[in-house]
Structure formats: structure tokens, C-alpha cells
Amino acid sequence: MQTDASLQNATAELDKVRNEIGKVIVGQQDVVDGVLICLLAGGHVLLEGVPGLGKTTLLRTLARVLHLRYSRIQFTPDLMPADIVGSMIIESDDRGAKALRFQPGPIFSNLVLADEINRATPKTQSALLEAMQERTVTSGNTTHELESPFLVMATQNPIEMEGTYPLPEAQLDRFLMKILVNYPSRADLSRIVERTIQRDDAKLELIVDRDAIMQLRAACRTVLIAPHVQDFAIDLVMATQPGSDHAHEIADRYIRYGSSPRGAQALVECGRVLALMRGRLNLSCDDVREIAPSVLRHRIILNFDAHADGQTPETILNRIITHVTAASAK
């Protein structure tokens, strides 16, 4: 009974958070759910879409609803690593003695928006690697811990746009999910314009705080994973690895590098949060199948033949997911 009550409370709180965000963000429910999943799974999220689709507004709204510290880093070609993680500064006391002190950068927040991350140089992009993976920042001989929860939501313009640098594969793999932000539907666009005309600022309420978020994270870890669901997630990842015994034929033909083991970890961790959102304490194959494109699309590197034949990560993953699903049903 206690487990059922905890499940209902967790699901109700998540629904309240989603509804509160909906006061500001029109539509884009898949994007909102994806960001929440990454926050509760302890990972980071990469959003790709053209400017003006509400990516920046989403994280700012999330910070207000969850009462978390928020910072925004605008990535530009002249941005330096110290502008992100911080730097050592010289301070003088009343006697004129000088000493070095670490001045934390904007990375020291709960929610960090890395806006247009692919406009910065690879050197600056790599400054995020330690913070994203280890949750620490090293300055000189001192390592500084980052407070939990810690989420980096990076936004990037499509790679084909001018003035962009592709993210290194090592950094892409650090993102738990990559979500494509599409244009709103006509009905959603109509609601956006109506809110613009009315000019009424939505009054957001604090739904959960930091402690409640950590409790929700703990609840997600109690979601059970049956052996056949775990095997399904593993089969999906191995089907993307060309040259292996379990590779799909389309992977051998079009994929240069398949998903790393982080892909399988991300499938089960994100699937657990999705199951909890749907009011269940057990992970299903449907949960894994639904989040697989967002988890795997940035973890596969296509070869030249794929680009020549007009293939995309979406078209390839759709065939792989369909094949693995059919195989697991036998």
C-alpha cells in the first residue's frame, strides 16, 4: 500500500510540473517530457532546432517551477573555457597581501542552459566534458563539486547553418538524449499568437523543490526491469554496431560507429522515468521503444554511403527498432 501511495504521489507531482510548464510552453509536450526525463535520470539533454521555438524559455520556466538555480551561457566563437567553469582571480586584503581565489563560473548552477553550443569552438565545447560526466570542476589542484541536481540543456542550430562547429563525438555521447524541436502545429501557433496579443505573464507556482526532486529520482530507481526488457534494450544497442554478430544489415551498410554501452544504460534509465510518469513501477518494452530514437540518434555516426543515399539517423533507427521489436516478439 505504501508503494502504491508513493507511486501515485510521484506521478501526481510530475503531472503538476508538466501542467505548470504548459502555462508558458505551448505544445512541444515531447520536448518537455524529454527534459524532465533527463533531469530525473541524472543526465543531460541536447535540443536541436531552428531559433525561436522556445528552447530557452523552456529551461527558464523549468527553473521557476522547480525553484532551482539557473544560469545561461551564450556560446559564441570568442567564448573561452574560463568563461564557463570559472577562473582564479587575485584578491588583496586590508594589509595589501595578495592571494588567489577561485571565482566560480556559470556552470555552478542546477540548471545550465548552453545556448547555441555549436557556435563555440571545439576547445570551449570540451570545457563542459568534466562537468557533465564527473559533476566536478577542476581548477589547478583543487576539484570543486557541483550541486545535485545538475542538468545541462544544450541547444544547437542544425549543423548546416552558417557559423557552426559540429560537436565532438565524445561530447555527444555525454548527452543522455538528443531531442529534435520541430515547428508548432497551426493550432499551437494560433495559441502562441493569442498569448502574445494578450501580453499576460503567466503566474507560475512552485511545485517541487530540490529535496522533492531527489526523492523523485529515488522513486525512479525503484522501477523494476524484467530480464526480457533488459535484453530488448541491449539488442537495440547491439543492432546499431556494424561488424558485430548482432548488427542489423542496415547498420553494416550505413553506420560507421554504433552506439556505445552508454546507449543501453540511457535506455533503461530514461525508460524508468517514463514508466513512472505513466504510473507504473515496471519498465516495459514499449517505454524503451518510445525513447529509443532520442537516446540513440546522436550515438550513431553515419558513413558516406548513408549521406549519399539520403539516409538519416531517424530512417535507420526506425528500421532497426522495427526489426528488433519483431525479433523479440517471436
Side-chain angles (χ1 to χ4, degrees):
M1 294 294 293
Q2 185 177 2
T3 301
D4 292 340
S6 301
L7 171 63
Q8 292 177 0
N9 290 336
T11 304
E13 286 183 341
L14 287 173
D15 286 340
K16 289 180 182 178
V17 171
R18 297 163 73 196
N19 292 335
E20 201 68 18
I21 294 175
K23 292 181 179 179
V24 176
I25 304 298
V26 177
Q28 306 287 7
Q29 193 59 54
D30 291 342
V31 179
V32 174
D33 289 348
V35 174
L36 283 175
I37 287 173
C38 288
L39 176 64
L40 295 179
H44 310 285
V45 61
L46 176 64
L47 303 185
E48 180 177 293
V50 298
L53 297 182
K55 302 184 292 294
T56 305
T57 305
L58 170 58
L59 198 65
R60 188 168 62 244
T61 303
L62 187 64
R64 293 169 61 189
V65 173
L66 302 182
H67 197 61
L68 295 175
R69 289 189 297 123
Y70 161 79
S71 65
R72 179 178 184 270
I73 307 172
Q74 183 64 52
F75 279 67
T76 56
D78 59 348
L79 190 73
M80 299 299 292
D83 298 328
I84 298 174
V85 300
S87 59
M88 302 297 293
I89 62 174
I90 300 177
E91 285 188 334
S92 301
D93 58 17
D94 296 337
R95 299 178 180 179
K98 299 183 183 297
L100 288 174
R101 181 179 66 85
F102 177 69
Q103 177 63 42
I107 197 69
F108 286 85
S109 294
N110 298 119
L111 302 179
V112 179
L113 173 62
D115 202 17
E116 296 187 308
I117 187 173
N118 59 335
R119 290 203 181 279
T121 60
K123 178 182 178 180
T124 302
Q125 293 173 6
S126 64
L128 287 173
L129 284 178
E130 180 189 0
M132 292 174 63
Q133 185 65 27
E134 308 296 336
R135 302 316 198 258
T136 59
V137 170
T138 301
S139 176
N141 296 325
T142 306
T143 299
H144 306 271
E145 298 283 341
L146 295 174
E147 184 185 38
S148 294
F150 174 64
L151 169 76
V152 173
M153 188 184 91
T155 69
Q156 72 172 10
N157 298 314
I159 298 300
E160 292 78 10
M161 297 189 71
E162 293 184 5
T164 57
Y165 300 85
L167 292 176
E169 288 79 1
Q171 187 168 347
L172 280 173
D173 204 30
R174 259 74 172 184
F175 288 102
L176 201 63
M177 300 175 70
K178 177 183 176 181
I179 301 174
L180 304 182
V181 185
N182 299 314
Y183 289 107
S185 65
R186 193 184 193 285
D188 289 340
L189 185 56
S190 178
R191 291 172 58 194
I192 292 172
V193 174
E194 287 176 359
R195 291 186 180 184
T196 304
I197 296 173
Q198 294 171 358
R199 294 187 177 277
D200 291 333
D201 293 333
K203 296 182 179 180
L204 298 177
E205 298 179 4
L206 171 63
I207 304 300
V208 295
D209 56 12
R210 177 182 175 276
D211 293 335
I213 293 172
M214 303 310 291
Q215 292 176 2
L216 287 172
R217 278 190 175 183
C220 293
R221 297 190 186 100
T222 64
V223 175
L224 301 177
I225 304 175
H228 74 280
V229 179
Q230 179 176 321
D231 290 340
F232 179 70
I234 293 173
D235 290 342
L236 275 177
V237 169
M238 298 197 71
T240 67
Q241 299 171 349
S244 68
D245 296 336
H246 303 277
H248 188 277
E249 60 180 3
I250 198 173
D252 288 329
R253 183 176 179 183
Y254 290 129
I255 296 180
R256 183 155 53 108
Y257 298 111
S259 172
S260 71
R262 284 198 187 102
Q265 294 174 306
L267 284 174
V268 295
E269 289 300 322
C270 294
R272 278 177 157 180
V273 182
L274 183 60
L276 191 71
M277 282 183 172
R278 294 175 170 174
R280 286 183 285 104
L281 280 176
N282 64 288
L283 180 63
S284 71
C285 290
D286 289 338
D287 298 325
V288 176
R289 189 182 305 113
E290 182 170 335
I291 63 167
S294 297
V295 168
L296 298 178
R297 64 165 54 100
H298 58 297
R299 290 187 163 93
I300 61 174
I301 309 299
L302 306 186
N303 58 24
F304 176 79
D305 290 339
H307 296 294
D309 292 345
Q311 297 289 332
T312 65
E314 277 62 47
T315 60
I316 293 173
L317 285 174
N318 285 339
R319 289 183 59 180
I320 290 177
I321 294 171
T322 301
H323 170 77
V324 175
T325 301
S328 63
K330 294 181 180 178

